Amino acid sequence: MACQKSTAGDNGIESPQSKSGSDRFEDRLALLAGLSGRIISNLDPDRVYQDIVAAACELTLAHYGALAIFDDFGVIDNFTTHGIGKEEKERIGGPPTGRGLLGVLPTAEKPLRLADLRAHAGFTGFPPGHPEMKTFLGAPIYHGDERLGNLYLAEKAGGREFTSEDENLVIMFAAQAAMAIRHSQLYARESTLREQAEMEHARLTAIIDSSAAGIVVVEAPDGRVVLANQEAKRILGFGLSSGDDRETYEYAAVYRRPDGSPYGVDELPLQRALRHGETSQGVEVIFDFADGRRIPTVVNASPVYDESGYVTAAIAVIGDISALQEVERLKAEFLSMVTHDLRGPLSTIKGLSSSMLMDSGPVDDETTLEYVRTIDEEADRMSELVGNLLDMSRIEADAMSMDPELCHLADITAEAVRRIERSREGGNHKIVTDVPLTLPEIFADYDQIGRVLSNLLSNAIKYSPQGSEVRITSYQSPDNSGEIVTKVADDGVGIPSEEMDKIFDKFYRVTSQRGRGRPGSGLGLAICKAIIESHDGKIWVESEPGKGSTFYFSQTGAVASVGYD
Ligand code: ADP
């Protein structure tokens, strides 16, 4: 496209019709001023390059124009043309790079104005497909001492030569172009850096936010929170309102040492880092909130300095150690329970057997029998506890052996009831069973399912008043899944809803039951769960404190015995 004929170039720049094409010097200067203004109106480098080359064509009435932009090493890294069609451009290929006139032009320091390109000694010919060009005007583009690129113009309108006036105007235009180029390049560089920084920031925010530890950054001088990740917000119990990253931290908690004494605000690791530039590591701080929440934590804090060595901010990493403390507590409780539960029966056994051995031992056969029975029961209690401990470690090592066979829940239930009724604990409760013989048999480990029932039965008795009723019922699941559900219901103390999902964890005992004179290891239900799950079944509980609990377990019923006998 011949730019001097157009009113709007490829780039959409409107030609000032009144002045474009005029030979009057004042008009051409006015045109130069207008075009110079326009080439700085964009910031995108590609648009700016197009605007420059189109404006240069318009200024000099050149039919063809090209702009070569150099990188930091003087190598052409952008070549924008004007007046050359897309296909033509593809045929020509990249910018000239050889040793001929067009190849060496990029390094020429002065403008080059030729009436006939072909007549120049350095001309080595156009590459195949290149449009024929005769008149030529080339000019370097300098920004200060730095060479930014070259402007090439060819084929002035009407077969005329480029004049010295054209050359001067192009030199003036090149100075303006240099500013526009540098400006857009800086803008592009800055945009790239900004994008990179934003990406980095987003990445860092994602990492910080997903961190398992709480991270808080506060700013000097007043300790306003500038960053708090999700975990920190959870622990600290405050939120930064959206769009406001400078909300002042609210001191909603009392901060305590492990011995319970409160920290002064100035003594807290984050404040010490901010006010005194101190680094703290592994400081135990308990967050004690007015609403009853209590979170034990370990805090590390460090100051952040500016170049002059002043503390500008402080950062704290807060780790919630509640879970760790709970494990420690359970471990300690378990050890004291095991020692207590083993020592109790042991001293009874020892006491009774010693008195039997003494000369003044039991006076009659009935007393002797009573002693022996008690010894037997106490030994049973001990062996049950040791058995539970062994089973738990087998379950954890995945080494619990199962020996499934076709059996009927009615038999398992009857045996479990007989066992509990014979024991001392079962004597005072009424046990009612409803396990119809019409139910299908199950394919299960007879002894292990028996243990589950015995355990649930013994719990029902242990956690309900003397003389109350315990009901065992088995039925086919109403949802046609073929499952058989067994439930053990009592009218006992019940379980608070917030603890219901924990009682199947090993060593867990309901808070209100601990130390109430009801011995227990917190292992029974964990073992039941492991046994039922290894039979592909489910175990769960429904309960109401003060009213009673119902434990359920389900199993797949065997429809027929084919293949199992
Ligand atoms: P434990 O040896 O302590 O009874 P379990 O694992 O059998 O251990 O039970 C865990 C805890 O669940 C018990 O300590 C008790 O607090 C609670 N629990 C179990 N069964 C019942 C029940 N039938 N009624 C009320 N609480 C129960």
Side-chain angles (χ1 to χ4, degrees):
M1 184 200 311
C3 59
Q4 68 274 25
K5 287 182 200 144
S6 68
T7 53
D10 301 352
N11 52 4
I13 291 187
E14 282 292 322
S15 295
Q17 196 98 95
S18 55
K19 301 197 176 81
S20 184
S22 163
D23 278 344
R24 284 185 54 218
F25 188 62
E26 304 82 75
D27 288 346
R28 299 193 71 193
L29 272 182
L31 179 63
L32 171 68
L35 293 171
S36 301
R38 283 176 199 169
I39 58 172
I40 55 165
S41 63
N42 264 307
L43 285 170
D44 169 41
D46 286 336
R47 271 305 292 274
V48 170
Y49 301 159
Q50 276 169 22
D51 289 354
I52 288 173
V53 70
C57 282
E58 190 172 340
L59 184 67
T60 55
L61 302 182
H63 191 92
Y64 299 114
L67 174 70
I69 299 290
F70 303 159
D71 64 14
D72 293 343
F73 306 100
V75 178
I76 296 174
D77 79 343
N78 185 292
F79 195 69
T80 306
T81 59
H82 185 84
I84 297 173
K86 195 165 166 266
E87 278 175 24
E88 235 172 351
K89 210 167 156 182
E90 274 164 15
R91 272 205 308 275
I92 302 167
T97 51
R99 296 193 58 78
L101 173 65
L102 294 180
V104 296
L105 250 183
T107 53
E109 286 180 2
K110 292 202 175 99
L112 183 69
R113 183 157 54 88
L114 303 171
D116 188 355
L117 205 48
R118 291 177 170 282
H120 191 277
F123 185 74
T124 53
F126 289 114
H130 197 285
E132 273 303 320
M133 293 176 187
K134 194 168 175 218
T135 56
F136 178 83
L137 175 58
I141 301 176
Y142 280 100
H143 185 257
D145 286 341
E146 193 187 351
R147 180 80 169 261
L148 300 184
N150 281 334
L151 197 52
Y152 309 93
L153 299 155
E155 297 299 277
K156 186 165 174 169
R160 287 178 287 165
E161 289 177 26
F162 289 104
T163 62
S164 62
E165 190 182 288
D166 290 332
E167 189 177 319
N168 288 335
L169 283 171
V170 166
I171 291 169
M172 284 191 267
F173 177 72
Q176 300 296 320
M179 280 198 293
I181 291 168
R182 186 31 43 107
H183 194 206
S184 72
Q185 285 174 340
L186 287 177
Y187 177 79
R189 231 168 266 173
E190 204 238 325
S191 305
T192 314
L193 287 176
R194 202 175 47 232
E195 271 166 28
Q196 277 171 355
E198 276 166 11
M199 249 169 63
E200 281 303 316
H201 184 258
R203 205 174 298 157
L204 205 65
T205 309
I207 292 172
I208 289 175
D209 244 3
S210 59
S211 159
I215 299 172
V216 184
V217 181
V218 295
E219 206 179 43
D222 48 8
R224 277 180 300 182
V225 175
V226 285
L227 185 150
N229 72 348
Q230 293 301 330
E231 175 65 356
K233 286 177 189 168
R234 186 191 68 79
I235 296 175
L236 299 169
F238 73 96
L240 294 170
S241 55
S242 65
D244 176 11
D245 59 352
R246 300 173 67 85
E247 186 168 301
T248 306
Y249 174 68
E250 290 168 34
Y251 292 95
V254 177
Y255 305 98
R256 297 190 188 280
R257 296 187 178 80
D259 66 8
S261 62
Y263 282 102
V265 170
D266 278 4
E267 294 174 308
L268 287 165
L270 195 59
Q271 295 302 328
R272 280 178 22 212
L274 192 68
R275 295 186 188 188
H276 312 296
E278 282 176 34
T279 298
S280 313
Q281 281 206 324
V283 181
E284 284 192 47
V285 180
I286 298 163
F287 290 71
D288 201 352
F289 292 93
D291 63 7
R293 276 190 321 134
R294 192 184 160 279
I295 306 180
T297 65
V298 170
V299 180
N300 295 341
S302 326
V304 179
Y305 295 99
D306 66 9
E307 290 128 26
S308 346
Y310 287 108
V311 176
T312 53
I315 177 162
V317 178
I318 309 167
D320 180 347
I321 53 167
S322 319
L324 218 66
Q325 285 199 347
E326 176 67 2
V327 171
E328 285 301 314
R329 192 192 61 71
L330 286 175
K331 221 160 60 182
E333 198 175 89
F334 169 71
L335 272 180
S336 83
M337 178 277 303
V338 170
T339 4
H340 173 270
D341 282 14
L342 286 179
R343 207 180 260 164
L346 205 59
S347 64
T348 312
I349 291 170
K350 178 70 189 157
L352 293 178
S353 55
S354 299
S355 62
M356 282 169 75
L357 288 173
M358 279 193 323
D359 293 344
S360 57
V363 279
D364 52 47
D365 284 356
E366 207 178 308
T367 316
T368 309
L369 195 62
E370 178 60 25
Y371 277 19
V372 173
R373 248 196 220 124
T374 309
I375 288 174
D376 188 51
E377 273 167 14
E378 294 297 314
D380 277 353
R381 266 178 65 188
M382 285 172 68
S383 93
E384 188 190 317
L385 177 60
V386 172
N388 276 349
L389 288 171
L390 275 176
D391 275 348
M392 205 61 231
S393 52
R394 277 197 203 110
I395 287 167
E396 288 192 333
D398 223 3
M400 185 96 149
S401 71
M402 292 288 157
D403 192 8
E405 59 184 320
L406 266 187
C407 47
H408 203 284
L409 271 166
D411 298 330
I412 302 177
T413 310
E415 193 172 319
V417 173
R418 252 195 323 272
R419 212 178 307 132
I420 204 100
E421 279 176 343
R422 270 205 313 265
S423 75
R424 184 177 281 187
E425 50 180 339
N428 290 317
H429 282 75
K430 188 168 177 231
I431 302 172
V432 183
T433 61
D434 177 15
V435 184
L437 282 167
T438 48
L439 283 175
E441 289 184 298
I442 53 168
F443 186 62
D445 186 312
Y446 185 95
D447 291 336
Q448 299 290 16
I449 298 297
R451 283 190 65 189
V452 172
L453 257 177
S454 296
N455 238 317
L456 297 182
L457 208 48
S458 129
N459 276 350
I461 286 168
K462 191 156 67 169
Y463 299 105
S464 64
Q466 298 267 349
S468 64
E469 196 177 86
V470 174
R471 298 165 295 278
I472 307 175
T473 317
S474 291
Y475 54 93
Q476 230 162 343
S477 172
D479 62 8
N480 278 337
S481 59
E483 276 182 345
I484 298 177
V485 181
T486 303
K487 63 178 189 179
V488 179
D490 64 57
D491 303 325
V493 292
I495 301 157
S497 56
E498 66 277 11
E499 294 189 78
M500 277 205 263
D501 56 340
K502 296 192 190 145
I503 57 169
F504 295 98
D505 293 347
K506 61 179 178 177
F507 305 137
Y508 194 86
R509 308 198 66 214
V510 167
T511 327
S512 54
Q513 297 303 324
R514 294 175 196 154
R516 276 263 182 121
R518 292 188 176 107
S521 59
L523 284 175
L525 288 178
I527 293 171
C528 290
K529 184 168 186 261
I531 293 174
I532 294 299
E533 285 180 353
S534 71
H535 281 81
D536 291 330
K538 283 195 292 279
I539 184 164
W540 68 100
V541 65
E542 284 170 4
S543 182
E544 203 177 319
K547 292 228 164 130
S549 312
T550 306
F551 283 81
Y552 298 81
F553 65 87
S554 67
Q555 285 161 314
T556 311
V559 180
S561 60
V562 181
Y564 293 127
D565 45 10

